[in-house]
Amino acid sequence: MDTMSSEGTVNAKYTAQAWINDHLGELLDWHAHIWELAEPAWREYDSQAWYVQKLREQGFEVEDGSAGMPTAFSARWSNGTGPTLLTYAEYDAVPGNSQAATTTEAPRGELSRFAPGHTDPHSALGISTLAGLLATKHAMEIYGITGTLRYTGEPAEKMHGSKVVHGLRGYYDDADAIVSFHPFYMLPLCNTARWDTQCGAYYSKVYTFACDEPETWQLSSVDPHSPIPASHSAARAPGANLALTQMLSASRSMLDSMLPATGGWSFTDAILTDGQATADNLPQRVARLQFSWRTPDIEMAEHILEVLDRNALAAAMMAHCEVDQRWVARSRPGRTNHVLARTLYDILAEVGPPSYGPEAVALAQEVQSNLGVEVSEHPFLPETEQLIEPEEAERLLREQMPAWQRNWTSDDYVEMSHYAPLVRFYVSRPALASVPGAGPYPGWVMNALGGMRATIAPTIITAGKTISGTFLELLAHPETLTEARNEFDVRVDAEPMPALLAADFEAPIDLPWPDYRINRANGQRRW
C-alpha cells in the first residue's frame, strides 16, 4: 500500500518497536562483536565483512566494497514501488584508545593500550541504525508497506573518509530522505535533532616528502673515481625527515595567523609511519604528514590550505625533496532540513529518552568507586535521560558561538546532506555526571561504558526505535517527503555549494594507515 491510516501507522511502529525489544539480546551480541573488533580507519575488514554477511542473511542485495573502497558497502531491500529511505553504519575505531568493557582502566585482551578502541562509539552507531533498519523491514513485510530501504557502510568516518566518495559516485542520489544518527558527544545536542546549526567544513590532506635523488645534493663531495660514494664522510642530503619536521614546526607556529581567535575551529596533525627509519648514513627517503582542520565555513578552510601548501613547498626545497599532496577529505558544511528534523523529533518524543536501569547504575557506581570519587545515587549525566526540543538545543548552542558563525564542529554526514534531504539526530550514550571537586573523568570511562551491555543498551533501543518510527512515518505520509524535498531545493538554490573534489576522486586507501597484524594461523590480532 502507498499510504496507511493513522491506526495502521501506529500499529506498524509498535510492531517495529516490538521487533527491537524481542531481538535486544541479539543486537547486544552484535554490538559486542563490532566493539571488540575495533578496527581503525580504512582497515575495518572484519567489521565490514560482518555487516555484508548479516545484511545478505536478512534479504538485502549488497554491493561489497562499494565505490572502490574495500571496507565500504551499499545494501538495498525493496518491497515494491514507493519512497527510498537511507541510513548507514559506521564502524571505525580510534588508535590509542584500547579499553576493555570493565570498570577499571585496562586494554582489551592482550592488546597494547595504544591499539584502537571505540570512543564515540561507532559500534553503537552502526548497530542502532541496523536495528532501526531491520525493524522497519519487518513492519513493512507484516503490513504490506511499499518502498525501498537503503543502507550504506561508511568506513573511516574519523577522517571524513567514505561519504564524500559515495556522494561523488551517486550512491545517495536516489534517496528521498536520509536519517543520520550519532551517539551524543556534546551538550546541548543530546536526545534531539539538529536544527539550524549544522557541522562545518572539514579538510584533511597528506603531504608526502620524498628524497629520491640524494646524490644530486652536493656533487663535489663525491669521489668521481669511486663507484661507491664515501657515504660516512660525504655531505648528505637533508632528507625527508627534515622536510617533515620543518613543515610541522612552521605550520604549528603559524596557527595564530591562520584564523581569528574567536569561533570554533581546530587543527590537528598526524605522522604516518613508513620510511622514516633507515641506515644512519643514508638520507630518509620518505616521510608523510597529515593535517586535518575543521572550520565554520569553506573560506576559512581554503585559507589554511593556501598556507599549508606554501609551507610544504618551502620545506621540500630546504630538505632536497619533492612533495606530493593527497586529499583525504574535503567536505562542505551541512544543509538543514526543518521538515525532517521536526518529523524525527516528534517520533523521538514518542519513543522517549534512554533510561538507565539498576544494572547500568551499579556499573557506573563501580567505576566511580574504582576511581576513588564519591559514589553518586544517580551517577549518569541528567541530560542523558532527558529530551530537548531542537529549537531549544539550537538556542543553547548559539550561546556558545559568535553571532557570525553559522556552523559548529564537523562530521562527514554533511556531504550526504548535499544529495538528499537529511536529518541529523542524537541519542545519549552513557556518560557520568561530574562529581564536585573531582574534575573530569578520564577518557577511558566513556569508552568502557560504551562497551558494557547494560549501559549501551538504552542508546541502541532508543535510536533504533526512533529510526524505524521515522521511516514508517515517512512511508505512510509521502507528502512529508515532498515538503522535505521542496525545502531542500529551496536551500540549494539559495546557496549552491558544488562538490569540492573531482568526480573521479578515489579514497586514499593505499596510504600507510595504522592497522592490526593478524596471525592467519590462529586469528590472533596484534597492534
Side-chain angles (χ1 to χ4, degrees):
M1 62 183 68
D2 295 328
T3 59
M4 295 181 65
S5 66
S6 296
E7 182 180 359
T9 304
V10 170
N11 290 338
K13 291 176 185 176
Y14 283 152
T15 297
Q17 291 181 9
W19 187 94
I20 291 174
N21 292 336
D22 293 343
H23 290 79
L24 181 58
E26 191 174 15
L27 291 168
L28 292 175
D29 289 342
W30 296 352
H31 173 265
H33 178 68
I34 299 299
W35 193 85
E36 288 289 349
L37 286 176
E39 296 172 300
W42 298 124
R43 302 296 183 253
E44 313 97 324
Y45 297 109
D46 290 342
S47 300
Q48 184 264 10
W50 181 90
Y51 273 99
V52 169
Q53 178 182 349
K54 189 62 62 180
L55 287 162
R56 286 175 174 165
E57 291 173 355
Q58 296 292 328
F60 282 76
E61 296 179 4
V62 185
E63 179 187 356
D64 189 349
S66 50
M69 297 178 286
T71 56
F73 65 82
S74 178
R76 176 187 296 269
W77 178 83
S78 183
N79 203 36
T81 303
T84 296
L85 306 178
L86 186 149
T87 189
Y88 59 87
E90 294 169 7
Y91 31 82
D92 60 317
V94 184
N97 286 274
S98 179
Q99 172 60 41
T102 60
T103 58
T104 56
E105 183 177 14
R108 300 187 320 283
E110 297 180 356
L111 292 171
S112 161
R113 63 191 178 97
F114 300 115
H118 280 289
T119 56
D120 278 354
H122 287 169
S123 52
L125 187 161
I127 299 304
S128 296
T129 57
L130 183 61
L133 181 83
L134 297 182
T136 303
K137 174 178 177 288
H138 175 68
M140 290 174 70
E141 291 173 322
I142 295 294
Y143 290 91
I145 302 170
T146 59
T148 297
L149 301 179
R150 291 280 316 283
Y151 194 62
T152 55
E154 307 287 356
E157 187 280 331
K158 286 295 187 182
M159 297 186 191
H160 281 223
S162 65
K163 296 187 184 75
V164 64
V165 184
H166 272 149
L168 291 169
R169 299 291 194 279
Y171 281 81
Y172 311 134
D173 289 351
D174 66 343
D176 292 296
I178 299 174
V179 172
S180 171
F181 163 65
H182 200 289
F184 131 83
Y185 59 87
M186 66 179 184
L187 295 176
L189 298 177
C190 185
N191 302 318
T192 193
R194 275 190 183 261
W195 197 244
D196 285 320
T197 303
Q198 302 295 324
C199 286
Y202 177 89
Y203 284 28
S204 183
K205 199 175 191 183
V206 171
Y207 295 88
T208 298
F209 299 98
C211 186
D212 286 333
E213 296 183 348
E215 67 278 0
T216 63
W217 171 249
Q218 188 174 340
L219 296 177
S220 62
S221 68
V222 179
D223 181 353
H225 303 293
S226 172
I228 301 177
S231 53
H232 282 284
S233 57
R236 191 162 65 239
N241 278 4
L242 178 68
L244 183 148
T245 55
Q246 289 294 323
M247 173 71 171
L248 181 61
S249 60
S251 300
R252 277 289 172 185
S253 66
M254 294 179 69
L255 275 181
D256 288 345
S257 303
M258 286 184 178
L259 284 173
T262 61
W265 58 278
S266 67
F267 183 81
T268 58
D269 52 70
I271 297 173
L272 276 62
T273 55
D274 74 319
Q276 285 90 348
T278 187
D280 66 348
N281 62 332
L282 296 174
Q284 295 78 21
R285 287 291 302 276
V286 64
R288 305 181 198 269
L289 182 60
Q290 178 186 10
F291 286 107
S292 304
W293 56 104
R294 309 177 184 210
T295 62
D297 53 49
I298 293 174
E299 180 184 4
M300 291 185 182
E302 288 290 325
H303 178 63
I304 290 180
L305 175 63
E306 292 176 7
V307 174
L308 293 178
D309 284 352
R310 289 197 301 266
N311 289 353
L313 291 174
M317 292 175 64
M318 179 182 295
H320 198 60
C321 294
E322 298 293 327
V323 61
D324 175 71
Q325 303 175 16
R326 184 82 174 274
W327 281 108
V328 176
R330 200 176 184 187
S331 301
R332 299 162 279 184
R335 290 197 185 278
T336 285
N337 196 282
H338 286 164
V339 172
L340 289 185
R342 173 49 55 190
T343 299
L344 181 138
Y345 183 77
D346 288 346
I347 300 298
L348 175 58
E350 291 177 6
V351 173
S355 177
Y356 297 99
E359 184 180 354
V361 169
L363 287 167
Q365 292 172 334
E366 188 175 331
V367 169
Q368 292 178 320
S369 177
N370 290 335
L371 287 172
V373 302
E374 182 181 353
V375 174
S376 309
E377 182 180 358
H378 303 288
F380 289 100
L381 189 70
E383 288 86 348
T384 62
E385 298 182 278
Q386 301 168 358
L387 298 175
I388 180 170
E389 287 275 349
E391 295 92 335
E392 177 62 10
E394 173 74 15
R395 185 188 69 78
L396 294 174
L397 187 61
R398 295 302 312 179
E399 289 181 352
Q400 306 175 34
M401 300 165 56
W404 56 264
Q405 185 176 329
R406 294 180 55 195
N407 303 295
W408 180 263
T409 190
S410 70
D411 187 288
D412 64 349
Y413 81 86
V414 293
E415 277 300 310
M416 306 177 86
S417 73
H418 290 271
Y419 297 94
L422 177 145
V423 55
R424 172 73 162 184
F425 84 104
Y426 302 90
V427 168
S428 63
R429 57 178 296 183
L432 303 187
S434 298
V435 175
Y441 289 94
W444 69 263
V445 172
M446 288 190 77
N447 297 354
L449 292 172
M452 299 176 189
R453 295 171 72 93
T455 53
I456 200 60
T459 302
I460 295 172
I461 294 169
T462 302
K465 291 180 178 180
T466 300
I467 291 169
S468 64
T470 301
F471 275 1
L472 292 166
E473 181 74 17
L474 294 174
L475 290 169
H477 298 284
E479 68 275 10
T480 303
L481 290 171
T482 300
E483 293 176 19
R485 174 59 67 171
N486 290 340
E487 179 183 351
F488 175 82
D489 291 340
V490 168
R491 292 184 185 276
V492 171
D493 290 342
E495 188 177 13
M497 279 190 277
L500 300 175
L501 292 170
D504 61 353
F505 171 75
E506 295 183 358
I509 58 177
D510 56 305
L511 289 175
W513 305 114
D515 196 8
Y516 283 110
R517 297 291 182 261
I518 300 178
N519 185 329
R520 294 301 175 187
N522 59 20
Q524 190 174 41
R525 306 159 80 229
R526 293 290 181 187
W527 179 244

